[in-house]
Amino acid sequence: MERDAVVSAFFGKYGFMMPDSNSVIQALLYDMQQSLDNGRRESAMGAKQAMIPTWCNFSDKEIKKESVIVIDAGGTNFRTCLVTFDHAAQPVVSDFRKMSMPGIQKELSKEEFFDTIAHQLDYLKNKSKKIGFCFSYAMEITPDRDGKVLGFSKEIKASAVIGSQVGASLKAALKKTGWEDGLSVTLLNDTTAALLAGKGQPTPGVRFSSYIGFILGTGLNIAYIESGPIRKIDGIKDSFGNAAPASQIVVCESCMFDKIPLSEFDRILDDNSCAPGEFTLEKMCSGAYIGPLAVIAVRQACTDCLFSAEFAAAFKISGDFVLADMDRFLYTPFDTTSKLGKLAAAGKPRDYEILYQIFDSIIERAAVLSSAVIAAAVIKSGQGFDGCSPVCILCNGTTFSRTHNLRRYIETYLTRMLESSRGLHFVLKTMENDITIGTALAALT
């Protein structure tokens, strides 16, 4: 939307600008290739995205009459269930439970972290010897499909877990509680799970040239299929002596990307986060941070007198807000039962439009950056040139699906970045139980 002059001037003063999408795409592609060749580097121009090879590709194996325990450790929630593929190879989800993610409330030791997970799995004890573990944090997937934790984002407090092998640590914790021997634990990221779900649950009569899994929820990440050589794993073999597959899924960990201008609001947010200087891109556009970023902007706008004195006084008393509060205001600005609707009603009529434009600008910038991440993955896949066989982008995350105007902005910007500028074709899709089904497929193939 077109911004009011005073809002544009306010954002310009603090360096909050809409990024040039092509510049961001090129910077992402540079960072991606540097990481595929040489790994992450701490130098100024070194790669920040982890670009994690998964040693995983598609299998044509049809799965019938098999069950798998599924764990989904997401940004806020920790979900567990049993997935059974019936005689027609259709997945049936049962025994579903949702809890808070371990480490979200307080710092946990390594033992506490995995013992908590083992306790939460106790009701599924021995219902299958195969466990698919979707672990939505930065990890290095090993050739035996375990995962070494590289770091936690999304404000999870479990620093002692960093460096651990998740599958091996979980099996040790489960053994203490009486689980049978012979457990197999397959680790994967939520983006990989989304990608596999898109491939594993095809649409009749539709053919895609490649698949991408994109997550925009509490955090942000993407996975795509890389068919080029990955120099950093050249010569590495799995426990059976097999070299890495010629084509495999790569998890980008785009949340770590840092080659992008920051506004003063971004710097304040970063300074007050659990991991200053890390997860730069995620802090600019994911659900865990959009709300706090908007609070910083609105607080400064009150100081700079963009709002009426009445609004500023009410805001000072009302305290902080979160993305859900922003959404409710953007969808229904004049609902005085909402936190921000009530706040705006305390001010002048002009305050409504200023607040709306600040929020919408923050969401639009998140959409530009998210679109650049998707576009870079599509370009890197080397597919999408044929309109009859576009790239399937399976999208997941409440921020993507619920945030006011975000999906619309992403689709608009992607059309410009890919179809109009580069002749590349794509389809955005969502699917029920995508992470669960993709995780189950990974554990059974």
Side-chain angles (χ1 to χ4, degrees):
M1 66 180 292
E2 187 172 346
R3 310 296 171 206
D4 187 281
V6 70
V7 174
S8 296
F10 169 72
F11 281 136
K13 179 181 178 181
Y14 295 101
F16 188 95
M17 310 297 288
M18 290 299 157
D20 176 72
S21 58
N22 283 321
S23 295
V24 177
I25 291 169
Q26 292 303 318
L28 281 160
L29 289 169
Y30 165 85
D31 196 84
M32 293 164 83
Q33 192 60 53
Q34 287 291 308
S35 184
L36 288 170
D37 289 344
N38 307 308
R40 292 190 75 214
R41 294 289 188 269
E42 292 306 318
S43 60
M45 289 303 293
K48 292 300 181 182
Q49 295 173 91
M51 300 301 290
I52 302 166
T54 63
W55 297 74
C56 175
N57 207 332
F58 301 124
S59 170
D60 294 327
K61 174 186 173 184
E62 188 173 52
I63 302 168
K64 295 181 179 181
K65 298 181 180 179
E66 287 194 69
S67 295
V68 59
I69 295 167
V70 168
I71 306 169
D72 178 9
T76 304
N77 297 311
F78 184 90
R79 304 173 180 89
T80 54
C81 67
L82 188 73
V83 177
T84 302
F85 289 85
D86 63 19
H87 67 281
Q90 292 301 304
V92 178
V93 180
S94 62
D95 300 282
F96 176 84
R97 289 188 183 179
K98 182 171 75 173
M99 297 141 279
S100 293
M101 179 65 195
I104 201 167
Q105 297 294 336
K106 64 176 183 177
E107 185 75 30
L108 297 180
S109 68
K110 176 183 174 181
E111 185 176 14
E112 289 171 331
F113 185 83
F114 288 107
D115 283 352
T116 299
I117 294 174
H119 173 72
Q120 292 173 340
L121 282 178
D122 195 63
Y123 77 105
L124 293 170
K125 184 181 292 182
N126 300 327
K127 290 195 174 184
S128 174
K129 288 195 173 184
K130 293 185 177 180
I131 298 175
F133 195 156
C134 179
F135 192 75
S136 303
Y137 302 90
M139 62 178 170
E140 176 187 349
I141 299 296
T142 60
D144 59 356
R145 302 177 80 177
D146 203 339
K148 179 182 177 182
V149 182
L150 300 176
F152 283 104
S153 58
K154 310 162 195 172
E155 305 300 294
I156 297 299
K157 307 167 189 67
S159 57
V161 178
I162 296 172
S164 300
Q165 297 284 344
V166 177
S169 300
L170 177 59
K171 285 192 282 187
L174 291 173
K175 187 173 182 179
K176 290 192 297 184
T177 63
W179 284 61
E180 296 174 357
D181 291 333
L183 287 174
S184 168
V185 181
T186 299
L187 266 292
L188 68 159
N189 183 275
D190 51 1
T191 54
T192 302
L195 189 156
L196 288 171
K199 170 65 175 176
Q201 299 290 297
T203 303
V206 177
R207 181 179 298 169
F208 295 110
S209 55
S210 193
Y211 297 85
I212 283 171
F214 174 67
I215 307 294
L216 184 55
T218 305
L220 171 141
N221 204 357
I222 198 162
Y224 74 103
I225 302 169
E226 175 60 63
S227 297
I230 301 177
R231 281 178 46 193
K232 66 182 178 182
I233 61 169
D234 187 39
I236 298 175
K237 297 182 179 182
D238 65 18
S239 55
F240 299 102
N242 300 313
S247 177
Q248 64 176 296
I249 299 167
V250 170
V251 177
C252 298
E253 293 299 340
S254 304
C255 57
M256 298 175 172
F257 181 70
D258 69 343
K259 297 169 181 66
I260 190 167
L262 300 180
S263 71
E264 291 189 35
F265 308 142
D266 296 309
R267 296 184 190 282
I268 292 169
L269 177 68
D270 182 59
D271 288 344
N272 289 281
S273 68
C274 285
E278 300 292 333
F279 309 107
T280 302
L281 184 60
E282 183 169 273
K283 291 171 183 173
M284 300 174 80
C285 50
S286 75
Y289 300 102
I290 290 177
L293 186 65
V295 170
I296 293 166
V298 171
R299 186 179 295 126
Q300 188 62 55
C302 288
T303 300
D304 291 359
C305 300
L306 269 71
F307 294 106
S308 67
E310 293 87 349
F311 178 96
F315 176 73
K316 187 175 182 179
I317 296 169
S318 69
D320 296 345
F321 54 85
V322 296
L323 178 56
D325 297 317
M326 287 174 59
D327 269 336
R328 190 170 174 189
F329 173 80
L330 290 168
Y331 282 113
T332 56
F334 301 102
D335 178 5
T336 55
T337 65
S338 73
K339 182 171 186 174
L340 292 169
K342 182 179 180 180
L343 177 65
K348 303 293 185 183
R350 171 91 168 132
D351 295 326
Y352 281 94
E353 185 61 20
I354 298 295
L355 189 61
Y356 187 100
Q357 288 192 27
I358 289 174
F359 288 169
D360 190 69
S361 296
I362 290 170
I363 290 168
E364 185 175 1
R365 189 189 70 162
V368 174
L369 295 172
S370 299
S371 300
V373 167
I374 297 171
V378 172
I379 294 166
K380 199 73 181 67
S381 76
Q383 301 295 326
F385 292 98
D386 186 347
C388 290
S389 301
V391 175
C392 174
I393 304 163
L394 202 144
C395 303
N396 178 281
T398 54
T399 303
F400 173 82
S401 61
R402 296 182 187 176
T403 301
H404 185 266
N405 275 346
L406 184 60
R407 177 169 181 164
R408 181 171 68 85
Y409 280 143
I410 287 175
E411 288 179 319
T412 299
Y413 280 107
L414 272 180
T415 299
R416 294 179 193 171
M417 295 174 190
L418 293 176
E419 292 188 350
S420 300
S421 298
R422 295 173 171 86
L424 297 176
H425 303 274
F426 69 93
V427 172
L428 291 183
K429 287 184 62 176
T430 56
M431 191 177 95
E432 188 175 2
N433 293 326
D434 53 349
I435 304 301
T436 300
I437 293 168
T439 302
L441 287 168
L444 292 171
T445 55

